[in-house]
């Protein structure tokens, strides 16, 4: 799927999806109809930025600024492609 | 069980047993009319708070028909304030666009609408109510208002041939998810099993239709389809394990590990009006009874798959063997598996359709209450 992921499009969490911090689990979770996924730290950092205002490329840029010691590009790209495949995120259509 | 209690994630609030529909596979107990009392708004709010404090994140408003409760709005607002992800599980009967809009504004996260069939005639016959057209109308409002939408088709012998049409209908209504929910044989469905359990041939045709749809469809809708466990060789990991993830509260305030457990004998389920959710979840005898593996007997006790399926479903074991500690008879390793095979065999003759269905309503339920009193249960 990676080859299909377009980093130039703005992305948002899919309709009905929400991220929040869960005290009981000491983790961020992604909530959606009748289900949830416990997120690791990096997944949460990426998904929190999928707010409809940024493109994949901008998210990578932001994360690289926050974590300057590692090259995140490939990992983030793979994660976003996977998240799209799982329907956690959607491309924002221009209105 | 000595280890830490598991983490509660799911709360199912069965707000009422009232329902304008009469689906013959309803998961409510046969004798629901014995329990007309309902928790008050304040009691529900306390349940919501206590379960949330324990870590519950997903909340289902169910029933009966949850829309019957006039305080649904108050409960939705409270659940949003507490940080739940709230799911309304409804027949959509009587739901207006205004009420739906209000629920959205109060923070309801998602709506699941049930359908009985893909045609008006069969749908309304199974529901014993005129609901099909309105359900479709409500589905369009759900999408218009920006909710994610799950459409749930409950599958059985009488409607399985419509599976391809159900999928097309879900696409047309722009469902985000479609659940092709195989009837589970508890409560009313168990009563009507002979008329509802599909034959192997029907299932093969249905599976072929779902496979074909999956090959041809490339849109965003997700499809969930599970075959009836009677046709499997291993049991389902029922509820993800007894009292492991989920807690169910009945309209009259009984806490259960699943919606069918109320029928299990010699277990006394605690009431939320007598105990806190924390006490119930962590300490009650009923919730601890089938946790872990200590309760198991042969063949489960030394089965390498016991951590995968937890011995299957306690209610199914009880319904078929009279003993809830048995392996789920769906399992090939169960000494009672013969029974399941016999039931499947009996699905082949098609004249079963001549037997009338028992519809779920108060009159029928009162009949079952009387029967259970006479038999001393």
């Amino acid at each position: 799927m990676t080859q299909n992921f377009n980093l130039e499009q703005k992305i948002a969490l899919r309709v009905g999806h929400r991220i929040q911090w869960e005290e009981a689990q000491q983790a961020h979770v992604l909530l959606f109809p009748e289900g949830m996924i416990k997120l690791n730290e990096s997944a949460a950092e990426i998904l929190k930025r999928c707010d409809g205002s940024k493109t994949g490329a901008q998210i990578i840029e932001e994360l690289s600024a926050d974590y300057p010691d590692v090259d995140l590009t490939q990992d983030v790209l793979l994660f976003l492609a996977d998240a799209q495949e799982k329907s956690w995120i959607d491309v924002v259509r221009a209105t | 069980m000595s280890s830490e209690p598991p983490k509660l994630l799911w709360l199912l609030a069965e707000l009422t047993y009232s329902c304008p529909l009469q689906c013959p596979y309803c998961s409510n107990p046969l004798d629901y009319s014995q329990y007309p009392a309902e928790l008050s708004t304040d009691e529900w709010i306390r349940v919501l708070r206590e379960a949330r404090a324990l870590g519950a994140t997903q909340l289902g408003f169910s029933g009966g028909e949850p829309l019957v409760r006039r305080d649904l709005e108050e409960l939705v607002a409270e659940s949003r304030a507490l940080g739940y992800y709230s799911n309304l599980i409804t027949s959509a009967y009587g739901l207006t666009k205004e009420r739906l809009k209000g629920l959205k504004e109060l923070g309801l996260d998602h709506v699941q609408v049930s359908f009985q069939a893909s045609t008006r005639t069969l749908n309304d016959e199974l529901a014993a109510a005129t609901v099909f057209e309105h359900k479709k109308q409500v589905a369009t409002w759900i999408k218009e208002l920006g909710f994610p939408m799950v459409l749930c088709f409950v599958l059985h012998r009488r409607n399985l041939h419509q599976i391809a049409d159900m999928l097309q209908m879900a696409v047309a209504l722009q469902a985000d998810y479609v659940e092709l929910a195989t009837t589970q044989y508890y409560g009313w469905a168990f009563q009507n099993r002979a008329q509802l359990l599909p034959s192997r041939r029907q299932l093969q045709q249905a599976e072929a239709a779902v496979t074909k749809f999956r090959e041809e469809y490339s849109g965003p809708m997700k499809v969930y389809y599970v075959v009836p466990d009677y046709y499997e060789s291993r049991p389902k990991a029922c509820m993800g394990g007894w009292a492991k993830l989920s807690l169910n509260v009945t309209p009259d305030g009984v806490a259960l590990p699943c919606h069918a457990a109320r029928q299990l004998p010699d277990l006394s389920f605690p009431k939320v009006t007598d105990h806190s959710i924390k006490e119930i979840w962590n300490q009650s005898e009923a919730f601890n009874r089938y946790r872990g593996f200590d309760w198991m007997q042969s063949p489960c006790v030394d089965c390498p798959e016991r951590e995968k399926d937890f011995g299957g479903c306690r209610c199914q074991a009880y319904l078929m063997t009279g003993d809830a500690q048995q392996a789920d008879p769906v399992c090939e390793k169960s000494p009672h598996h013969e029974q399941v095979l016999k039931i499947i065999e009996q699905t082949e003759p098609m004249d079963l359709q001549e037997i009338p269905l028992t519809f779920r309503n108060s009159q029928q339920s009162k009949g079952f209450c009387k029967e259970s009193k006479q038999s001393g249960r």
Side-chain angles (χ1 to χ4, degrees):
Chain A
M1 284 307 282
T2 30
Q3 62 274 25
N4 295 337
F5 193 82
N6 183 346
L7 281 173
E8 299 313 315
Q9 288 174 313
K10 289 181 178 170
I11 43 182
L13 291 181
R14 197 177 183 201
V15 170
H17 286 54
R18 197 165 93 209
I19 288 189
Q20 68 186 34
W21 173 257
E22 279 302 301
E23 201 55 37
Q25 300 186 57
Q26 288 296 302
H28 280 92
V29 294
L30 179 67
L31 297 161
F32 46 88
E34 295 173 44
M36 80 183 115
I37 302 277
K38 190 171 165 176
L39 300 171
N40 64 28
E41 223 175 296
S42 44
E45 285 306 316
I46 300 169
L47 287 177
K48 271 195 278 183
R49 288 170 168 78
C50 300
D51 59 5
S53 74
K54 302 179 197 89
T55 65
Q58 287 167 328
I59 289 171
I60 291 176
E61 210 174 294
E62 255 193 54
L63 286 164
S64 302
D66 290 351
Y67 302 91
D69 300 337
V70 262
D71 182 12
L72 299 160
T73 312
Q74 202 52 29
D75 287 349
V76 178
L77 184 60
L78 281 170
F79 178 84
L80 287 174
D82 189 43
Q84 191 176 43
E85 174 77 9
K86 289 185 169 118
S87 303
W88 295 349
I89 55 170
D90 263 339
V91 170
V92 180
R93 309 259 167 233
T95 47
Chain B
M1 181 147 155
S2 50
S3 55
E4 285 253 305
K7 287 217 169 20
L8 174 63
L9 295 178
W10 247 103
L11 175 67
L12 186 71
E14 289 182 338
L15 297 182
T16 178
Y17 281 140
S18 285
C19 185
L21 275 59
Q22 304 182 31
C23 307
Y25 46 74
C26 182
S27 63
N28 289 160
L30 287 169
D31 59 356
Y32 74 86
S33 60
Q34 263 194 81
Y35 315 108
E38 289 185 4
L39 293 182
S40 67
T41 310
D42 288 347
E43 285 168 330
W44 274 118
I45 287 179
R46 186 173 60 77
V47 167
L48 296 180
R49 286 183 184 157
E50 290 178 359
R52 181 75 186 118
L54 265 192
T57 313
Q58 285 281 343
L59 167 64
F61 289 116
S62 160
E65 173 49 67
L67 292 169
V68 170
R69 287 279 297 218
R70 297 217 181 118
D71 55 358
L72 180 62
E73 279 73 4
E74 210 173 320
L75 300 177
V76 163
E78 179 69 19
S79 51
R80 170 42 72 97
L82 289 167
Y84 277 109
Y85 191 93
S86 56
N87 305 272
L88 177 65
I89 301 160
T90 179
S91 71
Y93 188 92
L95 183 54
T96 62
K97 192 173 181 184
E98 289 64 39
R99 192 169 187 200
L100 194 58
K101 190 161 175 262
L103 289 166
K104 175 80 185 168
E105 282 159 8
L106 291 167
L108 180 67
D109 287 295
H110 149 238
V111 186
Q112 181 195 115
V113 178
S114 65
F115 275 90
Q116 285 68 33
S118 64
T119 55
R120 182 174 55 80
T121 324
L122 186 57
N123 188 92
D124 291 356
E125 182 195 322
L126 290 163
T130 306
V131 284
F132 183 71
E133 297 300 338
H134 186 66
K135 281 170 185 279
K136 290 212 297 191
Q137 175 66 71
V138 170
T140 64
W141 295 337
I142 292 170
K143 291 303 292 181
E144 239 179 271
L145 291 166
F147 283 109
M149 177 168 76
V150 174
L151 295 187
C152 176
F153 291 89
V154 180
L155 300 175
H156 46 77
R157 189 180 185 90
R158 302 268 179 122
N159 65 6
L160 202 55
H161 61 284
Q162 295 186 337
I163 202 163
D165 294 339
M166 291 171 183
L167 286 163
Q168 291 309 332
M169 187 174 140
V171 172
L173 291 170
Q174 297 179 283
D176 296 282
Y177 306 80
V178 59
E179 282 181 16
L180 301 168
T182 290
T183 299
Q184 306 264 352
Y185 295 96
Y186 309 101
W188 295 80
F190 188 77
Q191 182 68 27
N192 286 308
R193 186 179 62 194
Q195 298 92 295
L196 294 177
L197 187 66
S199 69
R200 197 177 290 277
R201 195 168 54 90
Q202 274 185 299
L203 277 173
Q204 284 161 351
Q205 288 166 351
E207 271 186 87
V210 175
T211 307
K212 184 163 177 281
F213 176 84
R214 285 190 164 135
E215 283 164 6
E216 292 169 1
Y217 175 75
S218 60
M221 182 178 83
K222 286 194 170 186
V223 179
Y224 297 105
Y225 172 58
V226 185
V227 302
D229 59 351
Y230 280 43
Y231 284 90
E232 299 282 8
S233 53
R234 289 289 182 275
K236 58 182 180 271
C238 197
M239 301 304 290
W242 177 270
K244 211 166 178 229
L245 301 167
S246 184
L247 185 143
N248 188 39
V249 179
T250 66
D252 53 326
V254 178
L256 302 170
C258 76
H259 54 249
R262 191 166 201 164
Q263 68 194 319
L264 293 175
D266 67 275
L267 268 180
S268 149
F269 290 103
K271 291 199 84 165
V272 298
T273 41
D274 299 332
H275 304 275
S276 71
I277 298 294
K278 191 175 179 180
E279 280 169 354
I280 291 169
W281 183 256
N282 290 346
Q283 290 154 29
S284 72
E285 201 275 329
F287 275 68
N288 281 302
R289 177 75 72 91
Y290 300 117
R291 276 183 177 149
F293 307 103
D294 294 347
W295 59 271
M296 285 181 171
Q297 29 186 6
S298 179
C300 298
V301 68
D302 40 31
C303 178
E305 290 167 74
R306 65 180 200 172
E307 299 196 23
K308 202 168 108 194
D309 58 37
F310 315 105
C313 172
R314 298 306 88 228
C315 302
Q316 194 144 277
Y318 167 69
L319 280 170
M320 288 201 214
T321 73
D323 176 3
Q325 287 192 58
Q326 288 280 338
D328 187 332
V330 156
C331 185
E332 273 177 347
K333 296 181 180 182
S334 156
H336 299 273
H337 186 61
E338 248 338 270
Q339 267 198 59
V340 177
L341 298 178
K342 216 174 274 170
I343 293 161
I344 290 176
E345 248 169 63
Q346 289 164 355
T347 61
E348 289 309 328
M350 291 312 276
D351 60 356
L352 277 176
Q353 304 231 359
E354 300 305 311
I355 313 170
L357 287 161
T358 306
F359 284 89
R360 179 245 194 235
N361 56 46
S362 299
Q363 200 190 343
Q364 293 285 357
S365 176
K366 281 174 189 149
F368 289 119
C369 298
K370 226 177 269 168
E371 269 175 42
S372 63
K373 260 177 215 145
Q374 278 160 5
S375 65
R377 276 226 25 235

